[in-house]
Amino acid sequence: MKTTETPAPVPAESGVTVRKSGAPHDGPREKKEGGVLNVFSHGILVIWAIMVVMPLVWAVMTSFKDDRSIFSSPWSLPDTLHFSNWSRAWTEANMSDYFLNTVLVVGGSLVGTLVLGSMAAYVLARFDFPGNRFIYYLFIGGMSFPIMLALVPLFYVVNNMGLLNTIHGLILVYIAYSLPFTVFFLTAFFRTLPTSVAEAAFVDGASHSRTFFQIMLPMAKPGLVSVGIFNFLGQWNQYMLPTVLNTDPDKRVLTQGLVQLAVSQGYKGDWSGLFAGLVMAMLPVLAAYIVFQRQVVQGLTAGALK
């Protein structure tokens, strides 16, 4: 009688991998397909990076040329760095005043938006009360309302309140304009935070305001930074609202100043000074994103990781 011997099992500690009989060996094929996909995705990213970076580099490079070089050799490096373009745009074109007005308006509106938006989002995310969902959907509806439809009534409302052509009036309008997205973003973020921390604070005798400002708000820092960057970008580049609500030449913001610089001399435009002013308006936004890019990514992915 013939007996069939069963192979002895290989111990796991031996480091030998046993492949089942008949199992396909797809290692090289999967590696090849993954390599092709990586090359394709990296190529797309490189093309996208070139499309984004090249206009910025060209604008900075052009800001150091004179007007003749801008038209005769637009793609060449400047022969001489004309720093006078920057000083002329800063002083003669009043870019310093426009920059200061923009910092005041955007700084005040950004602080007000984050404070009010975080308070409203925390209440909507953490407390159940009659009308909670209705108020939340009102903020969502504010995101879909075109601002162009509200320009005429907004002008009369601001004028009747005596806030037309004022810095604080523009700040209030910016806050109202940015609140819907801020509340929508932070409500979803506050829902991802653990409730046990707030409950422990209540057990220790902390009030609702102290729990919010000292415990929950610091935990929401990634979300605050992310929504703050988005609001900063939108408010810094805002042109329509200040054009309608701020017609005082002494209180113009940077976007209005750049348009004024472009049309101030008719057909004899100061192109070198215009590009210098454009780079001045662009650098704060670029610097803010570079400094806070890690916090922006953390804020956008926090809800997905929890």
Side-chain angles (χ1 to χ4, degrees):
M1 185 173 181
K2 192 175 181 179
T3 59
T4 303
E5 296 182 358
T6 303
V10 180
E13 293 81 1
S14 62
V16 179
T17 303
V18 178
R19 180 176 295 275
K20 294 182 178 180
S21 176
H25 189 275
D26 294 335
R29 181 182 302 175
E30 293 178 356
K31 185 176 181 181
K32 183 178 180 180
E33 293 178 355
V36 173
L37 183 60
N38 288 334
V39 172
F40 177 76
S41 60
H42 282 76
I44 295 297
L45 291 176
V46 169
I47 295 174
W48 178 257
I50 293 175
M51 293 174 60
V52 172
V53 173
M54 282 301 296
L56 302 180
V57 174
W58 182 77
V60 174
M61 181 181 65
T62 307
S63 66
F64 291 102
K65 292 182 177 181
D66 56 2
D67 291 341
R68 180 176 297 179
S69 300
I70 292 176
F71 291 98
S72 61
S73 54
W75 300 108
S76 63
L77 294 175
D79 298 331
T80 305
L81 298 179
H82 296 271
F83 292 99
S84 59
N85 299 336
W86 289 61
S87 61
R88 186 173 65 257
W90 185 258
T91 56
E92 297 180 9
N94 295 327
M95 293 299 293
S96 58
D97 297 336
Y98 302 148
F99 191 90
L100 178 60
N101 293 336
T102 306
V103 169
L104 293 176
V105 172
V106 175
S109 60
L110 193 60
V111 172
T113 301
L114 291 180
V115 172
L116 297 177
S118 61
M119 294 172 67
Y122 176 74
V123 173
L124 293 175
R126 292 293 181 175
F127 298 95
D128 292 328
F129 56 90
N132 181 300
R133 304 305 298 174
F134 177 74
I135 297 175
Y136 176 73
Y137 288 129
L138 280 181
F139 282 107
I140 300 299
M143 295 174 55
S144 60
F145 189 80
I147 191 63
M148 293 184 63
L149 297 180
L151 285 179
V152 174
L154 181 62
F155 175 85
Y156 285 105
V157 169
V158 174
N159 188 28
N160 293 334
M161 296 176 63
L163 299 176
L164 197 63
N165 297 326
T166 60
I167 296 295
H168 51 281
L170 204 57
I171 290 175
L172 293 178
V173 173
Y174 276 22
I175 292 175
Y177 173 75
S178 305
L179 268 180
F181 173 73
T182 304
V183 173
F184 167 75
F185 188 94
L186 292 180
T187 299
F189 191 87
F190 275 117
R191 287 173 181 167
T192 64
L193 298 181
T195 58
S196 58
V197 180
E199 293 174 354
F202 291 142
V203 170
D204 292 339
S207 61
H208 287 287
S209 59
R210 184 175 182 181
T211 302
F212 171 71
F213 285 106
Q214 295 187 2
I215 298 176
M216 303 304 294
L217 199 60
M219 293 176 61
K221 182 181 177 181
L224 291 174
V225 173
S226 299
V227 76
I229 291 295
F230 291 136
N231 286 328
F232 176 74
L233 294 175
Q235 294 173 3
W236 188 272
N237 297 321
Q238 182 61 244
Y239 175 72
M240 185 178 301
L241 290 176
T243 300
V244 175
L245 305 176
N246 184 25
T247 57
D248 189 351
D250 296 331
K251 297 179 181 177
R252 289 173 176 164
V253 295
L254 269 176
T255 51
Q256 294 175 289
L258 289 176
V259 174
Q260 179 63 25
L261 181 60
V263 302
S264 60
Q265 299 183 11
Y267 292 102
K268 189 181 177 182
D270 186 4
W271 298 104
S272 57
L274 177 62
F275 275 99
L278 177 64
V279 176
M280 289 179 189
M282 179 183 64
L283 285 179
V285 177
L286 186 61
Y289 184 78
I290 292 175
V291 172
F292 296 105
Q293 61 177 338
R294 181 175 300 177
Q295 287 81 356
V296 172
V297 175
Q298 290 177 356
L300 293 176
T301 58
L305 295 177
K306 293 188 178 183

